[in-house]
Amino acid sequence: MSEKITKEMIVGDIVADNFNRAKVFEHLGIDYCCGGKITLEEACRKKNLDPDKVIAHLETPVTEGDAPNFSEWPLDLLVDYVLKKHHRNFHLHHEELLSLVKKVENAHGEHHPELHEVRKAVEESFEELDSHFAKEEQVLFPQLYEIYAAHEEGRQPAPFHCGSIFYPIQQMMLEHDATGETWHHIADITENFTTPTDGCNSYRLMNQQLFQFFNDLTEHVAIENNLIFPGFIKMEQKGA
């Protein structure tokens, strides 16, 4: 059961406890992902919202949806989910999405020059994410699995060349922040992925897919920042 929400709770923790609450924050324009490290009271103050009304909205049955109860998943299963959903989807589809962005830029860039900036931002973000995911897959996640296995088997984990997972996790979170800023910028210059009246079907498809990618990226970062990373840091400390 989800714990009672208070104004002093961290926004990211509120979503980590029940991912269906993400829809409420999205509707209100509250960042629960990279910007989710502040209290609900502070987040509401920035948006000129009444925190008591926001809490009431968060606690209504409307926020009970079909999002998995990630907070109750074992940590190794959360890593599996991130790898098999988010990383796999990126590797399979990001080149196709970038090709679509370039196609729309070539067709509509003259009348919608913001598309040049969209293409540049998406292209740079995909290059950075490709590197980011490689570091998680090749360096960090294997050690997370080792820590989990050691915890389950009641032994010390094998030595890690970085010493503690704290340091690569800090780097991953910094990269999350940078990626979040990029995609919020993309959302701003596309007016939240809105297709103009003269946009063709490819333009609409591009915005739909960019919007879906942004949502998936937000879930990916929220799971790592609010559940996987703090959970494994605690597990590593207990085994030290």
Side-chain angles (χ1 to χ4, degrees):
M1 178 178 290
S2 299
E3 61 180 307
K4 184 173 177 60
I5 301 171
T6 66
K7 292 183 284 189
E8 293 74 29
M9 290 179 69
I10 301 299
V11 170
D13 292 342
I14 292 172
V15 172
D17 188 50
N18 182 346
F19 265 73
N20 291 299
R21 294 168 178 162
K23 297 177 182 177
V24 176
F25 285 133
E26 288 169 4
H27 176 72
L28 296 172
I30 293 176
D31 184 3
Y32 63 88
C33 182
C34 300
K37 306 178 188 71
I38 60 176
T39 65
L40 178 61
E41 185 172 31
E42 185 178 352
C44 289
R45 182 166 59 249
K46 288 184 175 182
K47 294 291 182 178
N48 295 315
L49 298 170
D50 182 340
D52 292 325
K53 291 182 179 179
V54 173
I55 289 173
H57 195 179
L58 288 165
E59 291 183 335
T60 58
V62 176
T63 63
E64 296 179 3
D66 57 0
N69 193 1
F70 292 120
S71 64
E72 294 187 359
W73 286 23
L75 289 173
D76 64 333
L77 183 57
L78 287 172
V79 177
D80 288 347
Y81 178 82
V82 165
L83 282 170
K84 290 182 171 61
K85 179 184 178 182
H86 298 293
H87 286 221
R88 178 183 289 172
N89 283 347
F90 174 80
H91 293 316
L92 288 175
H93 302 300
H94 79 280
E95 291 182 359
E96 181 182 350
L97 177 52
L98 181 58
S99 294
L100 178 60
V101 172
K102 291 178 177 179
K103 174 183 177 181
V104 173
E105 176 193 23
N106 290 334
H108 296 274
E110 181 178 354
H111 298 292
H112 296 280
E114 70 276 6
L115 287 170
H116 302 308
E117 191 173 356
V118 170
R119 190 268 310 154
K120 183 174 183 291
V122 170
E123 192 168 35
E124 290 177 353
S125 177
F126 283 176
E127 289 178 1
E128 292 165 359
L129 283 170
D130 193 45
S131 172
H132 176 86
F133 288 157
K135 284 181 279 190
E136 289 187 334
E137 293 162 12
Q138 298 169 20
V139 179
L140 180 58
F141 285 0
Q143 184 63 15
L144 298 188
Y145 281 126
E146 167 60 17
I147 290 171
Y148 191 86
H151 174 78
E152 292 295 292
E153 297 165 10
R155 61 173 174 82
Q156 287 293 316
F160 184 40
H161 70 275
C162 295
S164 169
I165 58 171
F166 177 81
Y167 304 106
I169 281 176
Q170 287 295 102
Q171 179 60 35
M172 294 300 97
M173 293 182 71
L174 288 173
E175 292 179 11
H176 286 171
D177 290 345
T179 298
E181 289 180 7
T182 296
W183 281 88
H184 279 292
H185 177 62
I186 293 170
D188 287 341
I189 59 181
T190 59
E191 297 183 4
N192 202 28
F193 308 103
T194 300
T195 302
T197 55
D198 62 340
C200 63
N201 287 335
S202 292
Y203 207 138
R204 293 187 187 90
L205 180 62
M206 178 196 74
N207 277 323
Q208 290 171 1
Q209 292 190 3
L210 289 175
F211 178 70
Q212 184 61 53
F213 184 88
F214 186 25
N215 282 344
D216 288 344
L217 183 67
T218 299
E219 180 187 80
H220 159 239
V221 171
I223 290 173
E224 288 192 349
N225 282 7
N226 301 318
L227 291 172
I228 292 176
F229 292 163
F232 272 104
I233 287 174
K234 289 179 183 178
M235 188 174 286
E236 182 186 57
Q237 291 171 342
K238 287 181 181 178

